[in-house]
Amino acid sequence: DAEITQSPRHKITETGRQVTLACHQTWNHNNMFWYRQDLGHGLRLIHYSYGVQDTNKGEVSDGYSVSRSNTEDLPLTLESAASSQTSVYFCASSESGVGGYTFGSGTRLTVV
Amino acid sequence: KNQVEQSPQSLIILEGKNCTLQCNYTVSPFSNLRWYKQDTGRGPVSLTIMTFSENTKSNGRYTATLDADTKQSSLHITASQLSDSASYICVVSPSYNTDKLIFGTGTRLQVFP
C-alpha cells in the first residue's frame, strides 16, 4: 500500500546544530508540504513543492529549507536550530485539487 | 485575514452519546472544507471533504454539514465510541489555491465509558 513516512519520530538536538527531517511518500504525488503544529495554533505551512526542483516558502519559512530532487522525497532542513523551532513537524502529499491529501505521522523535535 | 475558528476547544462525552462540533470560517473565496481526525501522536486523517456546492457528507458515524452562505460547518458524531477520542480539525481551502489549506486549531474530544 502507498504511504508517507517521516523519520525520525523523535529528535532532540542542541541550539545551533543543523537538523534534517526526512519525508518519503510512495503515492507518486507531485505536491509535498511541510507543516509545524504548536499548541494554540493550527498547522502552519513551512515549505511546499509542486514537483521535482520546485520549492516554495510558506507562512513560517524563516530558518528552514527544503530541496526536491525526486518525486518521493522532500527533506526539511533546519540550518541552525533554535528553541523556537521545538515543535511537531508533519509532512503531507497530495494531487492537485480536492481530495487525496495525506499526512505522515509526524516528527517531534526538541531543541535544547 | 483568512481564519478558521472551531468550538468548543474541548468536549467530554459519555460513550454512546452524540455530539456536534462547530467550525466558522472567513476564507473567501472558498473552494472546499475538510474535516480531519487526529489521534494523539499521529498525523491528521481525512474524514470528509465538501465543495462549496455540497450541504452534507457522511463517513460512517461522522456527518459533516456546510452552510456556505453563513460560512459555517458542523461535524456530527453519532453513537460515540472510545476510539472517537481525538482532535477534530476543520480545514478550509480558498478557491484561488486549492492546495493552500487553512487549519483551525481543533476540538479535543474525549469519550469516557
Side-chain angles (χ1 to χ4, degrees), chain A residues 9 37 90 98-99 101 104-105, chain B residues 36 38 41-43 49 101 103:
Chain A
R9 287 298 312 273
Q37 187 175 40
F90 288 99
V98 180
Y101 211 99
S105 294
Chain B
Y36 281 87
Q38 185 177 20
R42 309 295 295 179
I49 302 173
L101 303 187
F103 291 79

Side-chain angles (χ1 to χ4, degrees), chain B residues 91-102:
Chain B
V91 186
V92 179
S93 291
S95 59
Y96 56 81
N97 186 347
T98 55
D99 290 316
K100 178 179 174 60
L101 303 187
I102 301 170

Side-chain angles (χ1 to χ4, degrees), chain A residues 8 19 26 30-31 46-47 51 64 70 72 75 79-80 89:
Chain A
V19 177
T26 57
N30 287 322
N31 305 336
I46 304 171
H47 281 286
Y64 303 94
N70 57 54
E72 296 80 18
E79 303 295 341
S80 178
Y89 292 86

Side-chain angles (χ1 to χ4, degrees), chain B residues 29-48:
Chain B
F30 155 78
S31 173
N32 63 79
L33 186 144
R34 310 165 190 241
W35 282 94
Y36 281 87
K37 178 186 180 186
Q38 185 177 20
D39 293 315
T40 301
R42 309 295 295 179
V45 174
S46 180
L47 292 175
T48 63

